[in-house]
Amino acid sequence: MKKLSSALDTWASRPTGIVGVSAARCLLGFVGLMFYVSQYGDRAYLFGPDGVVPQDEFVRQVRDAGTFSLYTWSASPAWSEAVFYGGALIALAVTLGVGGRVGLALHWVFLWSVYQRQFAIIDGGDNLAYLVIPMLMLTRCYDRFSFSTGAAGLLVRRLPGGVRALSTPVHNLGVLAIATQICLVYMVSGLYKVQGDVWQDGTALFYILRIPEFTWPGVSDLVYDSDLLVYLGTYASVLFQVYFPLSILVPRLRAWAALASIGFHLSIGALMGLTSFALTMIACDLIFLSGGIDRALALARRTTDRITGKGMWEDRARADAERPRPIQLPEPAPRESEVTT
């Protein structure tokens, strides 16, 4: 019980993964911004009231589903344009680290609204973003890679001490929730694949890469024409997803599992074109690489300082400050005869 109490005290008093959640917030904002930019030319056709899904039909779909969307508030083309541009600007603010948790909450609302307006062009990354962004709001994801205006710090200082003391455990709870969600995604997906015949006989990758929506012309055929690559890719996917949660529990394997996951989803984004889904998963994987990202940034900073010469002058100044200085003895007081003279 003493060990458990000590572990809980440490967990509640020391924030973990600040760099990782900050990087995840940047990447999730970038994914949303990328969606707006990629659909900018067709925004009127996809999201406008006179587009591919008429406004009346869209409002009925939202009402039947029991959900909401900012695009249902008005049938004016100017309103849909304002919502689209507003969502893009908020996504940019989240990427740059402006707006704090309020901006992150607005980003969730606008993402939900635009995805509901045109769900035919989403690739699955939206489902994870819906779940992860509220969890991310519990964390101190604006501590790094952000532009601080000082307003949040001023507000925090006005809060009672008991409320401020909850900041660290709530942050750690948010990190734990995101990590648990990612492990559940991998475990459920892996166990679901195990039940499929094409995954059991090692041919699933052959059929997936031949679907027109998931084909990279000139590259996908190089994979599905090779029996060895098909077998290795199929079985490696299942084994990786099933055992990923177990790897996360081992501290020495955690970073390697996260790196393997990033490589796995980079291949999905490249070969299958599921860019938003891949980047959203990679953003969540970054929370397991918080320490590695921090060390990499420190190394890059030192390297840059050495190249620009800044580090050399700082080292010299530090050495000069630490170099022992000779002891200055006080001058002897003049004798009485010398003073009289």
Side-chain angles (χ1 to χ4, degrees):
M1 291 299 295
K2 289 183 178 179
K3 291 182 179 180
L4 178 60
S5 177
S6 177
L8 289 176
D9 289 341
T10 303
W11 182 82
S13 59
R14 184 182 304 166
T16 61
I18 288 181
V19 178
V21 294
S22 299
R25 183 259 308 158
C26 289
L27 189 50
L28 286 175
F30 175 76
V31 171
L33 180 63
M34 181 185 67
F35 179 83
Y36 285 106
V37 172
S38 63
Q39 310 301 329
Y40 180 80
D42 299 320
R43 64 189 184 281
Y45 176 72
L46 294 173
F47 313 111
D50 300 322
V52 61
V53 180
Q55 184 73 9
D56 294 340
E57 182 179 351
F58 166 62
V59 172
R60 179 172 50 80
Q61 290 176 354
V62 171
R63 188 185 304 114
D64 293 343
T67 182
F68 76 93
S69 175
L70 296 178
Y71 289 89
T72 62
W73 289 9
S74 174
S76 170
W79 173 252
S80 69
E81 288 282 309
V83 174
F84 184 89
Y85 280 105
L89 291 176
I90 292 174
L92 177 61
V94 171
T95 305
L96 298 178
V98 179
R101 290 180 174 88
V102 175
L104 195 57
L106 290 175
H107 180 55
W108 186 92
V109 172
F110 276 83
L111 272 186
W112 179 277
S113 298
V114 73
Y115 287 155
Q116 292 296 315
R117 184 64 181 95
Q118 188 52 258
F119 57 84
I121 57 177
I122 56 182
D123 60 5
D126 57 298
N127 291 325
L128 188 60
Y130 297 154
L131 297 173
V132 169
I133 290 178
M135 300 175 188
L136 203 61
M137 291 172 59
L138 300 175
T139 68
R140 293 164 53 179
C141 59
Y142 280 87
D143 280 16
R144 301 289 293 272
F145 315 124
S146 63
F147 295 95
S148 176
T149 60
L154 180 62
L155 178 61
V156 169
R157 286 192 294 271
R158 292 178 177 272
L159 295 176
V163 177
R164 292 199 302 269
L166 294 175
S167 172
T168 298
V170 169
H171 163 83
N172 290 339
L173 182 62
V175 174
L176 180 61
I178 297 174
T180 303
Q181 179 62 50
I182 297 305
C183 290
L184 286 175
V185 169
Y186 280 118
M187 184 176 65
V188 172
S189 178
L191 294 178
Y192 182 79
K193 287 182 173 65
V194 168
Q195 303 176 45
D197 294 336
V198 294
W199 292 97
Q200 294 176 8
D201 59 25
T203 60
L205 196 61
F206 173 82
Y207 298 104
I208 292 173
L209 294 180
R210 291 178 64 87
I211 299 175
E213 290 83 356
F214 300 147
T215 298
W216 184 0
V219 177
S220 297
D221 54 339
L222 298 178
V223 178
Y224 62 68
D225 284 343
S226 171
D227 294 341
L228 179 61
L229 291 179
V230 169
Y231 285 130
L232 289 178
T234 302
Y235 288 130
S237 299
V238 176
L239 292 174
F240 165 73
Q241 291 182 331
V242 171
Y243 289 104
F244 178 85
L246 300 178
S247 302
I248 291 300
L249 295 177
V250 181
R252 292 185 178 182
L253 298 179
R254 189 172 298 152
W256 295 106
L259 289 174
S261 176
I262 291 175
F264 177 70
H265 287 100
L266 285 176
S267 63
I268 288 178
L271 290 175
M272 301 177 62
L274 302 176
T275 310
S276 176
F277 168 76
L279 292 179
T280 302
M281 290 296 296
I282 291 174
C284 297
D285 288 329
L286 294 178
I287 68 170
F288 302 115
L289 294 172
S290 185
I293 295 174
D294 201 14
R295 289 190 293 271
L297 291 174
L299 177 61
R301 192 180 304 112
R302 290 195 299 269
T303 304
T304 303
D305 290 345
R306 292 178 186 274
I307 293 175
T308 58
K310 178 181 177 181
M312 177 181 63
W313 294 110
E314 289 182 351
D315 292 342
R316 287 185 179 179
R318 190 180 302 110
D320 291 340
E322 295 175 355
R323 182 181 298 124
R325 300 182 181 278
I327 300 176
Q328 298 290 337
L329 297 176
E331 295 183 1
R335 281 184 258 182
E336 185 177 354
S337 59
E338 294 177 351
V339 173
T340 305
T341 304

